[in-house]
Amino acid sequence: MTAPVTQRHVDRLLRQQASLAQFGSYAFSEPQLSRILTEAARVCAEGLGVPFCKICRYRAAEDDLLIEAGWGWHEGVVGRVVSAANETSPQGRAYVTGQPVILGNLREANDVVLPAFYGQHGIISTIDVIIKSKEGDAYGVLEIDSPVQHTYDRHDIDFLTGFANVLAEAVATANRNDMLRRTVRLMEALVEEKDKLLAERAMMAEELKHRVRNNLQLIQAMLFTHMKIGGGEQEQASVRAISRRVMTLSEVYEQLLGTGLDRTIDLGEYMRSLCGRLPGLQGNGGGGIALACRAEPLLVDLDTVTALGMAVAEIVSNSFEHAFPDGIGTVSVVLVRSADGRDGVLTVADDGVGFVEKTGSKRHGVGLVRRLVQQVMGEVTRGEGPGTSWSLSFPLHAPPREPTPAVAP
């Protein structure tokens, strides 16, 4: 026969429901799992009118149940005391079977082994329920303890079971949030390390570019000094050719210093800078020969810039040396994008006396220019007079190519 429901009983049920709702709100807003567990122990103890409650966490490696949090216990119990995860303990029995375990009088329970702290606290009655979410393994066991013998009814078991279910979801959420926070911290550390490495790499790259640029300028200065000392015309011309090629490389690094770690350089800007320096490398400083440059912005890779720069320097120098017997004329360098946008076109032209290519030439002007342009998958064509016109076309997105042997001077 079911006992009549009294107003006192109704009030207790309402308090339990209210405490369960309040704990749910608290648990899903609190980031620290230890605080959630401690609050759960307090609310459970007060909801069932007992002085003690504990939450045991299952440890797979030890196959035991550690008291992770609690309420009302003396110092030294929480975080230290363990029970066997088998049917020899109330907690272990609930964990193994997955069913509530009620011991109304521990003095009469001869089939369980209890740690000493039960006697030290005068525990007589216990209820254990498993803490398990809908997915994954069980977290552990929730237990209430009383020094007074109690007769618990179905409503008490329902309250404790419902509380354990809410606690299980709160634990799962807290664990997921903790994993997310650790992942975010790891990602932040990786980003910080990446930024640090990039900064170090950028600094080393800048230092390397400065050193190379300075070394090229030093070599060029030494060549200028050598030209001032003297030597025959043929030797002077050879030294000027070497100096011109060193200068084109130096200009490449001048451009690199302004682009950080970019793998591309504005060929137009490079050509304008190169043309500004080329007249000074001629035997007579250029005299009455003008060098004009008009170049569109075109981003190309370092190899393309280097090869085209040396090719243009070679053609311009040949014009300065051979196209104007009277020392007066104009050389123009024009860089544009092709009509279809796929190629770049460099045109170097002069209004001089014209050019006649020597058959079989391998180590001078034309042969060198063609080898340089071939390195960047480009083509060289010579236009008809008056004067001399060279057109260097090259793909703006060249396919990968095999390494090319160094160009002979």
Side-chain angles (χ1 to χ4, degrees):
M1 181 176 181
T2 304
V5 178
T6 64
Q7 184 60 43
R8 182 178 179 182
H9 192 82
V10 171
D11 291 341
R12 187 180 68 172
L13 291 176
L14 292 175
R15 285 196 305 271
Q16 289 177 351
Q17 292 176 3
S19 63
L20 182 58
Q22 290 173 0
F23 172 75
S25 299
Y26 170 84
F28 290 105
S29 62
E30 171 57 49
Q32 293 190 19
L33 180 58
S34 60
R35 293 182 179 178
I36 295 175
L37 297 177
T38 300
E39 179 65 9
R42 182 192 69 80
V43 173
C44 272
E46 293 181 356
L48 290 175
V50 296
F52 305 107
C53 181
K54 61 177 175 285
I55 296 170
C56 302
R57 173 174 61 89
Y58 176 69
R59 301 190 300 181
E62 295 83 359
D63 193 28
D64 62 16
L65 291 159
L66 171 69
I67 300 180
E68 189 74 19
W71 182 257
W73 304 103
H74 298 163
E75 184 177 355
V77 174
V78 176
R80 297 182 182 178
V81 178
V82 297
S83 300
N86 54 47
E87 296 196 20
T88 62
S89 68
Q91 307 97 309
R93 189 172 299 177
Y95 185 83
V96 170
T97 64
Q99 300 298 319
V101 174
I102 304 173
L103 295 177
N105 189 346
L106 292 178
R107 298 190 183 97
E108 300 174 354
N110 298 321
D111 58 344
V112 295
V113 178
L114 301 174
F117 77 93
Y118 278 85
Q120 295 167 359
H121 290 77
I123 303 301
I124 294 178
S125 297
T126 64
I127 302 180
D128 290 90
V129 294
I130 192 170
I131 303 172
K132 188 180 188 309
S133 61
K134 295 178 181 179
E135 299 179 356
D137 298 329
Y139 174 79
V141 173
L142 171 64
E143 178 180 291
I144 60 166
D145 304 86
S146 174
V148 177
Q149 185 171 347
H150 276 275
T151 301
Y152 298 102
D153 58 23
R154 178 179 56 83
H155 298 293
D156 295 324
I157 302 300
D158 290 344
F159 167 72
L160 202 59
T161 301
F163 201 97
N165 292 337
V166 173
L167 180 58
E169 295 301 325
V171 168
T173 300
N175 286 336
R176 286 193 297 269
N177 291 339
D178 183 63
M179 181 178 295
L180 178 60
R181 285 191 293 271
R182 284 188 278 119
T183 301
V184 170
R185 286 195 295 269
L186 177 60
M187 292 178 63
E188 289 174 344
L190 290 174
V191 170
E192 183 178 352
E193 181 67 18
K194 180 210 69 174
D195 291 342
K196 180 180 177 181
L197 291 174
L198 285 178
E200 292 176 354
R201 180 184 174 191
M203 183 175 65
M204 293 175 65
E206 290 297 319
E207 177 65 20
L208 176 62
K209 286 185 290 188
H210 276 290
R211 286 178 180 271
V212 173
R213 189 271 310 267
N214 292 341
N215 288 337
L216 289 172
Q217 290 179 343
L218 177 61
I219 294 172
Q220 190 176 3
M222 293 169 64
L223 292 171
F224 274 127
T225 302
H226 182 77
M227 284 191 292
K228 290 179 181 179
I229 293 176
E233 180 59 30
Q234 186 175 359
E235 181 181 352
Q236 290 279 328
S238 297
V239 173
R240 280 197 301 273
I242 296 172
S243 179
R244 183 171 61 249
R245 292 161 193 170
V246 171
M247 187 272 292
T248 60
L249 293 176
S250 178
E251 281 295 326
V252 170
Y253 279 90
E254 286 286 352
Q255 298 297 317
L256 276 175
L257 289 175
T259 59
L261 293 177
D262 289 348
R263 296 184 177 182
T264 56
I265 300 177
D266 184 352
L267 181 59
E269 182 179 351
Y270 169 76
M271 281 297 161
R272 290 189 291 271
S273 178
L274 181 65
C275 289
R277 296 187 60 184
L278 278 174
L281 292 177
Q282 309 312 314
N284 60 356
I289 304 173
L291 177 58
C293 181
R294 179 171 61 84
E296 294 182 5
L298 288 179
L299 292 179
V300 297
D301 60 78
L302 179 60
D303 290 340
T304 300
V305 170
T306 303
L308 293 176
M310 296 182 71
V312 168
E314 195 70 30
I315 296 173
V316 169
S317 295
N318 282 340
S319 293
F320 268 77
E321 292 177 7
H322 305 293
F324 309 105
D326 56 359
I328 299 174
T330 301
V331 181
S332 65
V333 176
V334 178
L335 171 66
V336 296
R337 187 187 297 268
S338 65
D340 60 11
R342 296 179 180 179
D343 298 330
V345 180
L346 256 172
T347 303
V348 184
D350 64 58
D351 56 2
V353 297
F355 173 80
V356 178
E357 183 177 351
K358 294 180 180 179
T359 304
S361 176
K362 296 293 184 180
R363 299 181 58 83
H364 296 88
V366 176
L368 176 60
V369 169
R370 284 189 171 136
R371 291 197 299 274
L372 286 166
V373 177
Q374 286 172 359
Q375 287 184 13
V376 295
M377 313 298 287
E379 296 181 354
V380 180
T381 56
R382 183 164 61 89
E384 300 298 329
T388 303
S389 174
W390 295 95
S391 178
L392 317 180
S393 62
F394 55 94
L396 293 178
H397 302 287
R401 56 184 182 275
E402 295 297 325
T404 306
V407 176

